[in-house]
């Protein structure tokens, strides 16, 4: 496992470097955004661009970028949105909003999704199973921003139960703040619920028809005992890594959802940076999303070996 983990980390770092290089070169191929007239930081930003090698070959610029990041943790300063401000500080200020909204969404979605999946598997080939499976496929097929518009129209506009936008402030765990985050939480939750329902239902259905389940029943266990002691344990070999991946990926958030509900998070910052052509902010958020995606996959792969000893032993053959 140690050798496999080290290999996966090295591959992850290589992929991260390649993706970062591609994004850096592509974004630098575009002309730099024109600084606003009368900007007091214009001279400083121009000097900064010169120091970053904007007039040099792309790979030289990328080398300067990596050197600044790894030696001084210097990601640059904002060109447009927050003229002259450190982009790393701007990013850190917006990370809590993204984490909190997605954490609430996951804590709400995972138990409900797993519960529906177990219920559908136990009612296999009945109208309950068909209904849950059909709704799951429909929900997965619809993008999360569609649910955002529906929630805003029905729950916020028609019924007036929820606010249109997230309340400003940093008191993340207050009841008022939680209520203002509910539309975004529900919008993100639909897809997660459907995904876990489908995964749990598929795995548990397969396990329930396995030979060792028949053996457990012949030993005198009731259906409920065999399901709890054997079926669910084997089913969660696949489900638990997915849960771990979701928790690692909560930092990534949702770009469009944060923009729709005016959430001051990393996703909204990314969209604003793209619209304003603020390249330093775009690079720090792009590197962040890439790292989170790769880390989530790494944690899921490694967790399989710890959860199921058969996988860990199989790697030694």
């Amino acid at each position: 496992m140690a050798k496999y983990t080290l290999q996966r980390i090295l591959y992850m770092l290589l992929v991260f470097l390649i993706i970062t290089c591609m994004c850096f070169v592509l974004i630098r191929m575009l002309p730099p955004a024109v600084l606003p007239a009368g900007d007091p930081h214009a001279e400083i930003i121009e000097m900064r661009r010169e120091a970053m090698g904007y007039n040099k070959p792309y790979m030289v610029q990328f080398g300067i970028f990596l050197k600044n990041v790894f030696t001084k943790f210097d990601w640059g300063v904002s060109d447009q949105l927050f003229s002259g401000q450190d982009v790393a500080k701007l990013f850190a200020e917006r990370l809590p909003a993204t984490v909190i909204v997605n954490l609430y969404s996951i804590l709400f979605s995972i138990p409900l999704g797993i519960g529906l999946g177990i219920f559908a598997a136990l009612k296999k080939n009945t109208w309950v199973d068909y209904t849950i499976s059909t709704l799951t496929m429909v929900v997965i097929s619809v993008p999360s921003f569609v649910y955002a518009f529906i929630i805003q129209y029905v729950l916020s506009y028609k019924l007036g139960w929820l606010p249109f936008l997230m309340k400003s402030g940093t008191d993340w765990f207050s009841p008022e703040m939680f209520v203002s985050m509910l539309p975004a939480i529900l919008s993100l939750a639909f897809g997660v619920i459907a995904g876990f329902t489908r995964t749990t239902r598929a795995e548990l259905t397969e396990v329930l028809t396995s030979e060792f389940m028949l053996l457990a029943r012949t030993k005198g266990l009731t259906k409920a005992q065999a399901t709890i002691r054997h079926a669910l344990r084997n089913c969660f070999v696949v489900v638990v890594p997915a849960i771990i991946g979701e928790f690692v990926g909560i930092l990534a958030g949702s770009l469009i959802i944060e923009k729709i509900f005016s959430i001051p998070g990393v996703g909204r910052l990314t969209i604003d940076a793209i619209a304003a052509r603020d390249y330093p902010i775009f690079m720090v958020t792009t590197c962040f999303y890439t790292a989170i995606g790769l880390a989530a996959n790494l944690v899921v792969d490694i967790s399989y070996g710890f959860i199921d000893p058969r996988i860990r032993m199989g790697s030694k053959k």
Side-chain angles (χ1 to χ4, degrees), residues 123-137:
K123 299 292 184 179
K124 181 182 178 182
N125 295 332
T126 65
W127 68 270
V128 175
D129 179 29
Y130 296 144
T131 301
I132 293 177
S133 299
T134 302
L135 290 175
T136 297
M137 293 306 298

Side-chain angles (χ1 to χ4, degrees), residues 211-224:
E211 293 181 356
F212 71 86
M213 287 296 295
L214 179 61
L215 177 62
R217 293 297 304 279
T218 58
K219 287 183 176 180
L221 294 179
T222 64
K223 183 178 180 180

Side-chain angles (χ1 to χ4, degrees), residues 254-255 258-259 262-273 289:
S254 174
L255 282 73
E258 289 187 12
K259 185 66 176 179
S262 191
I263 299 173
V266 177
R268 181 183 174 188
L269 182 65
T270 305
I271 295 295
D272 293 341
Y289 284 126

Side-chain angles (χ1 to χ4, degrees), residues 163 166-167 171-182:
M166 179 177 169
K167 179 184 177 182
D171 189 7
W172 305 115
F173 300 100
S174 66
E176 296 80 7
M177 183 65 76
F178 177 75
V179 171
S180 70
M181 288 189 289
L182 270 178

Side-chain angles (χ1 to χ4, degrees), residues 80-138:
Q80 297 289 315
L81 293 176
F82 308 92
S83 189
Q85 296 188 38
D86 183 15
V87 298
K89 182 179 179 181
L90 294 170
F91 170 82
E93 290 174 351
R94 283 155 179 76
L95 187 58
T98 294
V99 173
I100 293 299
V101 171
N102 285 271
L103 180 61
Y104 279 137
S105 175
I106 290 174
L107 292 177
F108 168 74
S109 305
I110 290 178
L112 186 56
I114 293 176
L116 288 173
I118 294 174
F119 189 55
L122 295 177
K123 299 292 184 179
K124 181 182 178 182
N125 295 332
T126 65
W127 68 270
V128 175
D129 179 29
Y130 296 144
T131 301
I132 293 177
S133 299
T134 302
L135 290 175
T136 297
M137 293 306 298
V138 172

Side-chain angles (χ1 to χ4, degrees), residues 161-172:
W161 292 350
L162 298 173
F164 276 92
L165 303 176
M166 179 177 169
K167 179 184 177 182
S168 60
T170 57
D171 189 7
W172 305 115

Side-chain angles (χ1 to χ4, degrees), residues 28-43:
R28 287 297 176 89
M29 291 175 68
L30 299 174
V34 179
L35 298 177
D39 187 349
H41 303 283
E43 184 177 352

